[in-house]
Amino acid sequence: MKDILVHIDDSERCSARLDIAIGLAKTFGARLTGLFARTESHRPSAVAHKASDQLTQARDAAKEAFTKACASAGITSRWWQLAHGEPGHVVSETMFCARYADLVVMGQTEPKSKIVPEEMVEHVILHCGRPVLVVPHTGSFPSVGERMALAWNAGKEAVRALNDAKPLMLKAKSVTVLSLRGPADDGSNAMGEVPQVDVLDHLAACGITASAERLAGEHIGKMDMLLSRLCDLGADLVVMGAHGHYGLSLKRGTGTRYVLAHMTVPVLMSN
């Protein structure tokens, strides 16, 4: 994990995710790229695909704050910025830039916020092909990744999230696997004897010591149980796969969107 991208805007919560991104960059000796991307509040400028004076001033102030914070932390950094703030451009270019990083740090979309498009975080998660760490829009997080939880259902997305989070797990003080699989998913079925797979065994082979719990419930009920258990564990980071709305199932993607709306601790998602 040597190349981290953090989304920058002029919101009040930007400093919180910048602090987290800087901390991760220091931990892993990574370069930190600040990407300024926000929607244009001056409609004529958005239509003309040209940055307004207000957007330019916000961008310059954010760049100064980013540069100063990175210099104080002693990390290698660079600055990227979008040409203008037309909403579609902001979403698509943020997603594209995210593909050129090992980890992307973004903020949870705030209710009724006009700084970034409502769908931007979810779009980046589902289409950038990189792990995205989302920081809640409320709360303080002095540590991220010391007490980790993995939401596990053995699905493709969860496997990707697990693999993406291994560098963080190797440095964590504790890792708890919260299994969302039902008893029927444990490998014992009418097909006869099958290999006894175990995610804890796989993590141990990678040098990661973890414990496991099974959560009951279905769909959104499981998401509520997951979020509640995170509080009980004192987790400061949860890792999970992200699902989009595709195919014939109306249930796919609902858990991802629910967690993004109700998260209370940072969440690392991969798709």
Side-chain angles (χ1 to χ4, degrees), residues 82-201:
L82 301 189
H84 57 83
E86 189 276 321
H89 177 76
V90 171
V91 172
S92 62
E93 289 303 306
T94 300
M95 178 273 295
F96 185 77
C97 290
R99 292 176 173 171
Y100 294 85
D102 296 321
L103 176 69
V104 183
V105 182
M106 303 186 74
Q108 179 189 21
T109 303
E110 299 185 38
K112 300 181 180 180
S113 171
K114 296 182 179 180
I115 292 180
V116 296
E118 182 180 1
E119 73 279 8
M120 187 169 84
V121 174
E122 184 178 2
H123 185 87
V124 172
I125 291 170
L126 295 177
H127 299 288
C128 77
R130 297 295 190 179
V132 179
L133 174 60
V134 186
V135 180
H137 57 60
T138 57
S140 59
F141 308 97
S143 68
V144 174
E146 290 188 358
R147 299 174 302 281
M148 296 180 62
L150 168 67
W152 180 250
N153 65 359
K156 173 181 71 69
E157 294 83 359
V159 171
R160 174 66 185 273
L162 182 156
N163 194 62
D164 287 340
K166 281 179 181 175
L168 291 163
M169 290 182 177
L170 285 167
K171 294 182 179 295
K173 293 180 179 179
S174 68
V175 178
T176 304
V177 177
L178 299 175
S179 178
L180 304 177
R181 306 177 73 195
D185 302 324
D186 63 4
S188 56
N189 52 41
M191 295 178 65
E193 193 171 322
V194 296
Q196 296 302 302
V197 295
D198 184 349
V199 66
L200 295 188
D201 177 67

